[in-house]
Amino acid sequence: MISAKEEDNKMDNVWLIANDSCINGIIGLMNCLRLEPGGENWRYIFNYDSTGSPMDIDFNVSPYSDILANDLVANVVKEGKVGTYRHLRLPTDYDKCLSNKYYLNSGQSRDIAGLQWFCGNNIPVLKKMITPNNKIIHKTPVNVYYSGISFHDVMLATGRIPPGPEQIFTDCSLGCEYSGRKVDTGERVMGLEMGRSFATSINADIHSMTTVPEHWSLAEAVTILSTYSTLYYALIKRANLKQGESILIHSAAGGVGQSALNMCLHYGCDIYVTVGTEEKKQFLVKEYNIPVNRIFNSRDILFKNHIMKATKGRGVDIVLNSLSGDKLDASYQCVATSGRIVELGRFDMIHNKQIGMFDFVRDIQFIAVVADVLLMENLKFLPEFYDWVHKNCTNGCVKPFNYTVFNASEAEKAFRFMTTGKHIGKVVIKMR
């Protein structure tokens, strides 16, 4: 029971007196009341020892006269003594500890500034687990040397998209690709996980890893994992990429873009690209011999006019899209009759963006690729992908590309670097 009593005093304050148990919520109520107009005049007395019987309050005698004189918002009576509650600021490192085992995750705020390193000592090391499809997955510990940042990680860290189905199994969706050494054998391995791979060590799925080719370093190995696995599924398994087809690759200087360039050059494709800066344009000219008249700007929708002019109004057989909004609409219109648009971005999917149905009359396909769903539903995919990688890692189809390395202590800086759009290639965090 909460009763209100207004005393006739100089401050004309309103007093709340709680007579029942400590679960009455008077403190929360006071916090709300003080936000209202005139809320600064509210005071309360909390009888901590009360069994529910009414309190005999007399502000003319001690200790209640002292309470009135002190004019404090919070007044607590406990075992005959009068005290108060105060908000005390905790030291900035109150929740910090020294640890040799840690992982990166989002903190209380869903933005890059909220990224924090968490102690991993209490994460259980399981030898096997059961999937939603009742499949048994065997696991083994791996010491992580390098972790790659994907654009998906950036979208998660900035709160632009929510976590996927992996959140059923883990509280950390950040990080999906790693390279390192198996704890039991020291063997060099690389692999994909459903989160928590920005870590000093992980308990990795055995089916989701493979050995690192001898001619690749561990840093090089981590550059190809998410990019090539996505493209293997998107271009070869879903879009049925054929020799000599024409393709538009958006953001071609990034990790996915360079991986797509290597694959499409291997397939002898007729390649058109977009980039966001002049520096990236010159990079593609120098490193991939892409003609200047086939490199367009990804920052506006004028690339559509250039593509249609370059292809004499036909369009391209495949658009590999990672752009959103009106740039997705423009990309959609660049697809030739009986062509395919492969959608890699998830922002427009999450926000249920509408696209016109009329172009489907031209027998085009819209292929949406959501890799994390694939990895959870199809346990046979990664072994098949790794077999393809090892068969093509010496012929130019699958090869590491340039990367920028940040130390673990620079994780926030690495994520911010990705958001600027200035990076070329892969951004990698060095764990050890």
Side-chain angles (χ1 to χ4, degrees), residues 199-357:
T200 51
S201 61
I202 58 174
N203 194 33
D205 299 339
I206 293 177
H207 84 280
S208 69
M209 69 173 67
T210 187
T211 56
V212 176
E214 293 183 357
H215 59 291
W216 291 357
S217 69
L218 289 175
E220 290 174 330
V222 83
T223 66
I224 68 100
L225 292 166
S226 65
T227 56
Y228 273 100
S229 61
T230 299
L231 292 171
Y232 172 72
Y233 178 68
L235 293 180
I236 295 179
K237 301 287 287 184
R238 296 287 303 278
N240 298 311
L241 177 67
K242 301 178 181 64
Q243 289 282 341
E245 287 193 300
S246 58
I247 185 170
L248 169 61
I249 303 172
H250 283 307
S251 304
V256 173
Q258 289 191 53
S259 300
L261 282 172
N262 290 330
M263 289 177 62
C264 292
L265 287 170
H266 179 73
Y267 274 77
C269 293
D270 189 20
I271 299 172
Y272 302 88
V273 301
T274 66
V275 293
T277 66
E278 180 65 24
E279 179 186 5
K280 294 180 179 181
K281 177 180 179 179
Q282 295 305 320
F283 171 81
L284 295 183
V285 172
K286 179 180 178 181
E287 297 295 327
Y288 290 93
N289 296 317
I290 306 297
V292 174
N293 61 358
R294 288 176 173 240
I295 304 176
F296 311 120
N297 188 0
S298 62
R299 300 295 175 89
D300 56 49
I301 63 173
L302 294 180
F303 64 80
K304 179 188 74 171
N305 299 334
H306 296 307
I307 288 291
M308 300 309 292
K309 181 178 179 180
T311 59
K312 298 180 180 179
R314 177 182 179 273
V316 293
D317 295 312
I318 299 176
V319 173
L320 187 63
N321 184 61
S322 55
L323 306 181
S324 60
D326 58 351
K327 302 179 186 67
L328 168 59
D329 296 328
S331 300
Y332 183 55
Q333 296 165 15
C334 292
V335 183
T337 298
S338 299
R340 295 87 85 197
I341 178 168
V342 180
E343 177 60 36
L344 301 182
R346 201 175 307 183
F347 183 80
D348 284 331
M349 299 184 203
I350 295 296
H351 290 83
N352 196 29
K353 176 178 170 55
Q354 306 299 304
I355 60 173
M357 291 287 289

Side-chain angles (χ1 to χ4, degrees), residues 2 40 49 166 175 194 215 227 252 271 281 309 356 365 403:
I2 298 178
E40 68 276 4
D49 304 316
E166 72 278 0
M194 301 299 291
H215 59 291
T227 56
I271 299 172
K281 177 180 179 179
K309 181 178 179 180
Q365 299 179 53
Y403 54 90

Side-chain angles (χ1 to χ4, degrees), residues 126-128 137-142 178 182 184 189-193 203-211 382-383 386:
L126 306 175
K127 292 184 177 180
K128 62 182 179 181
I137 295 177
H138 295 278
K139 304 175 80 70
T140 187
V142 174
Y178 67 90
K182 292 177 67 175
D184 55 354
V189 293
M190 58 184 183
L192 290 162
E193 285 290 319
N203 194 33
D205 299 339
I206 293 177
H207 84 280
S208 69
M209 69 173 67
T210 187
T211 56
L382 282 178
Y386 292 139

Side-chain angles (χ1 to χ4, degrees), residues 353-372:
K353 176 178 170 55
Q354 306 299 304
I355 60 173
M357 291 287 289
F358 179 76
D359 279 314
F360 289 119
V361 176
R362 299 191 294 112
D363 187 37
I364 70 172
Q365 299 179 53
F366 187 97
I367 301 172
V369 175
V370 184
D372 50 354

Side-chain angles (χ1 to χ4, degrees), residues 164-207:
E166 72 278 0
Q167 63 183 315
I168 299 174
F169 305 99
T170 177
D171 63 334
C172 180
S173 297
L174 286 182
C176 65
E177 52 194 346
Y178 67 90
S179 64
R181 292 183 181 273
K182 292 177 67 175
V183 171
D184 55 354
T185 65
E187 186 178 23
R188 300 195 320 152
V189 293
M190 58 184 183
L192 290 162
E193 285 290 319
M194 301 299 291
R196 214 193 301 273
S197 70
F198 297 115
T200 51
S201 61
I202 58 174
N203 194 33
D205 299 339
I206 293 177
H207 84 280

